[in-house]
Structures are given as structure tokens and as C-alpha cells.
Amino acid sequence: MELDLKPLGPYSLFRVEGNFVFISGQIGFDGKELKSTLEEQTSQALKNIYKILVYLGLSPSDIIKATIFTTCMDQADKINAVWENFFRRFGENLPSRSFVGVSALPRSALVEIEAIAFVKSSVSLYKVGRHYFVSGDFMRAHEFFERAWRISQKRKEKNADVFRGFSLLSAFAIKLEEGKFNRNLLKKAIDTFPKSKTNKILKSILKIKNKDELIDYLKNFVMSYEIKEKQTIED
């Protein structure tokens, strides 16, 4: 799954630190145009945040804090109506929130919303790792794959071996970037995945000699591997 959302300036759509996801402010821009009314812009901004959350295996219920900026504070009731309708679909507990009136926003938008979410599942940690792997940040990917594996192993979740496989695969990618083809590490990663079609696909990696082709192959494999179960972590 790819994220069909792009930043509108020199910033990241989101950053992950520890178990927190910091989502940059979103306006009512759908990739083609800025929506017209305040309600439409609020709805689109929330949809953009939703896309980022889903990409990371999260839900609006995982948002713990949000900030709304608006040039229309006198119409706050309209924003609140859209806001509540959106969040009530995902549970009764609304995120904490700040509401700030401003004189202007990017692209003359009427509203902008930023959010902080908390990662609560091993699958979400894996999906964060997947994002970093496909982006080429194998070190960060390894960090999140490793955390997903250790947590799922501790809780005896069925995806533990798969997460271990991705942890080893990212470790292999780190070595590969350093110019080292660690065949034993790659074979160990391959053997960790379920012995099915996935295993056969991974074994074809051993036939690729070109470094760049191999990295592209690994990125495509990681991006195409879907884990849908959402398993909650208990501290």
C-alpha cells in the first residue's frame, strides 16, 4: 500500500519517535484543489490524516492529541460538527485538542489540523518499519521491525516469526548498503518466513547479483507484504 499524499512544502508528512507519530498539519487540499467551504476543508483535512494513519496501520482512535488552526473562529461550531461526526465513528473517546484562531494559513486555507497518535500494536510498529524500509532508511526500519518482533514474541502472537524475518531482512539491507553481501544473514531471514509462496519469492533474491536491483527487489517485497491483523500491546 502506497501513501497517495504529498507534503505541500519542505517538511515530512509525519515523523515517528518512539511510540508516537507526529502528523504535520493538514489542510483541506485533496491533491488537486482546495475544498471550498469550511466544512469541506475540515472534512478533507481529517481524511488526509486518516490516510496517514491507515498507511501506518493505525486508526483515528489512536490519536491522543490534535490541534486545530482556523481563520474562522467565529464558525467553530461548523468545525466541531464535522470533527465530532468523524471521530464518533471510531469510538466514544475523543482525542484531547487545542483550538487556535490565526490570521492566515497556507494556500489561504480556512482550517489546518495536526495530530499526535500513539502506536499500540505490533502490526503498526511493523508498518512504520515498512515505511522506512521502502524509503531506504534501513536502520530505522530495523529498529521498528525489531520492536514488532520482540513485542509479538513476548505476547506469543502468530506474526512473531514474520516480524523476525523482516528484522533480519532489514539487517541484511544495512550490510548490503555497506557493500557487504551477507549470504548467511539473508538465508536466515528467508528461512524465518513461512515456507510458502513467500519463501519461494525470497529465495529468488539469491540469484540477483546487482546491488541496486537487489535493494529494489527487497523494497517491492516489503511493500507488497500485507499483515492486516491489529494486535494490541499491553505494557
Side-chain angles (χ1 to χ4, degrees), residues 34-179:
L34 184 70
K35 297 296 183 179
S36 301
T37 68
L38 179 59
E39 293 94 332
E40 289 173 339
Q41 288 190 26
T42 303
S43 178
Q44 185 62 51
L46 290 170
K47 286 178 182 177
N48 292 345
I49 289 174
Y50 179 74
K51 285 183 179 181
I52 295 171
L53 292 170
V54 171
Y55 174 74
L56 296 174
L58 298 171
S59 160
S61 62
D62 295 314
I63 294 177
I64 56 175
K65 174 68 167 67
T67 302
I68 299 176
F69 304 93
T70 183
T71 59
C72 306
M73 188 60 85
D74 59 334
Q75 300 181 62
D77 57 325
K78 294 181 179 179
I79 296 174
N80 281 331
V82 176
W83 173 275
E84 185 168 11
N85 181 61
F86 175 81
F87 277 100
R88 289 300 186 193
R89 288 179 287 169
F90 302 96
E92 290 300 312
N93 294 324
L94 300 177
S96 62
R97 191 188 77 178
S98 298
F99 211 143
V100 184
V102 295
S103 60
L105 287 168
R107 301 202 177 194
S108 300
L110 303 176
V111 63
E112 180 175 356
I113 305 172
E114 63 180 27
I116 301 172
F118 188 74
V119 180
K120 296 183 291 188
S121 78
S122 56
V123 173
S124 292
L125 287 169
Y126 150 74
K127 289 192 174 183
V128 172
R130 182 180 67 177
H131 163 74
Y132 282 117
F133 193 100
V134 174
S135 300
D137 191 342
F138 302 129
M139 193 71 73
R140 289 280 279 168
H142 180 69
E143 173 192 340
F144 283 95
F145 287 150
E146 187 77 3
R147 287 171 61 194
W149 169 59
R150 293 190 182 282
I151 289 169
S152 59
Q153 184 185 47
K154 180 180 178 181
R155 293 186 51 76
K156 298 180 180 179
E157 296 173 348
K158 67 179 183 179
N159 288 319
D161 286 345
V162 172
F163 296 145
R164 177 58 172 162
F166 280 112
S167 176
L168 293 170
L169 208 58
S170 57
F172 168 77
I174 292 170
K175 293 292 184 183
L176 190 62
E177 274 205 322
E178 296 172 352

